[in-house]
Amino acid sequence: GAGPGRRVPPPPQQLSGRAPPASRRSPPPRKGGYDKNSTWWKKYQNGMIFVCNKDTYHDCLRLRLLGAPAAHLSDMKMLKPNASALFLFDSDQRVFHGVFEAASHAGDSLVPHAWAKPAGGAGAARRGPTPLPAQIRFKIARACPPQLLERFVIPLRGKTRVQMLDRNQVKEMVEIFLDGSRGEAPGSSRPP
């Protein structure tokens, strides 16, 4: 309890749909979108592109988890919390989502039933094992509108399209997201 002389914090405010006070708002983006003097993204040593579809996109965001086939786990172990950028390619919408950041080290089946179909067919209560056991937790580093695949020069390789990015490729990806933050990207109205 609060004794004499102790301040009691004010009760949490209800969500009203109004913008937060100016002191808590992020500064508006500079004209042109990309701030060449910004340094928040320069900490990224590497990164990775993950793939989702219309069925798995919302699970990725809800779980704050990205996954890949087991063969990618050794590459994913090079990703470091707070030092690796992550991007999510929606193969149905053909857009990239980001900018995300590793919030954990990669591991095997961090969420054992993530993205799994029910075992025993539709309507079954038990879920099977995850089809994407190489997993990493993420946080949103910068919420940007989705960006169309055609804006990126990095080719998506291989059957799964999951791939590592070096520091320069991360820089290129982040610049496109920041430049695209000036307005809504065509082709998707889903939140990042």
Side-chain angles (χ1 to χ4, degrees):
R6 294 181 71 179
R7 281 184 55 181
V8 176
Q13 294 180 344
Q14 296 288 327
L15 294 176
S16 65
R18 290 179 294 179
S23 62
R24 292 199 329 236
R25 261 183 277 181
S26 299
R30 296 181 65 200
K31 282 220 181 284
Y34 174 57
D35 180 357
K36 298 256 187 238
N37 298 318
S38 177
T39 60
W40 68 268
W41 57 270
K42 292 180 181 177
K43 65 182 176 177
Y44 299 132
Q45 301 165 12
N46 60 13
M48 194 164 208
I49 295 172
F50 292 84
V51 179
C52 70
N53 60 34
K54 63 180 169 53
D55 298 323
T56 59
Y57 170 79
H58 293 288
D59 285 337
C60 290
L61 291 184
R62 180 178 55 82
L63 297 169
R64 291 289 194 258
L65 186 74
L66 299 173
H72 293 282
L73 186 57
S74 61
D75 281 345
M76 288 173 61
K77 293 217 179 230
M78 292 188 285
L79 301 170
K80 304 291 182 220
N82 304 313
S84 297
L86 307 174
F87 304 92
L88 186 57
F89 176 67
D90 183 325
S91 60
D92 291 332
Q93 298 288 322
R94 298 186 55 78
V95 295
F96 281 97
H97 297 277
V99 175
F100 306 126
E101 180 176 295
S104 73
H105 292 281
D108 185 21
S109 298
L110 299 175
V111 179
H113 303 289
W115 310 290
K117 303 231 184 287
R126 204 178 93 242
R127 294 177 73 81
T130 180
L132 304 171
Q135 299 174 356
I136 191 165
R137 295 197 179 280
F138 73 90
K139 59 187 173 183
I140 298 172
R142 189 62 56 107
C144 298
Q147 298 298 311
L148 294 171
L149 171 64
E150 292 76 22
R151 295 200 62 206
F152 296 88
V153 295
I154 297 168
L156 294 174
R157 297 183 305 253
K159 180 180 172 192
T160 65
R161 298 180 177 168
V162 174
Q163 65 192 58
M164 287 294 297
L165 301 171
D166 64 29
R167 183 182 214 118
N168 289 331
Q169 290 171 316
V170 167
K171 178 180 183 273
E172 291 171 18
M173 298 272 300
V174 169
E175 286 176 346
I176 290 170
F177 273 100
L178 293 179
D179 188 50
S181 290
R182 290 180 287 164
E184 196 63 34
S188 177
S189 60
R190 293 193 298 186

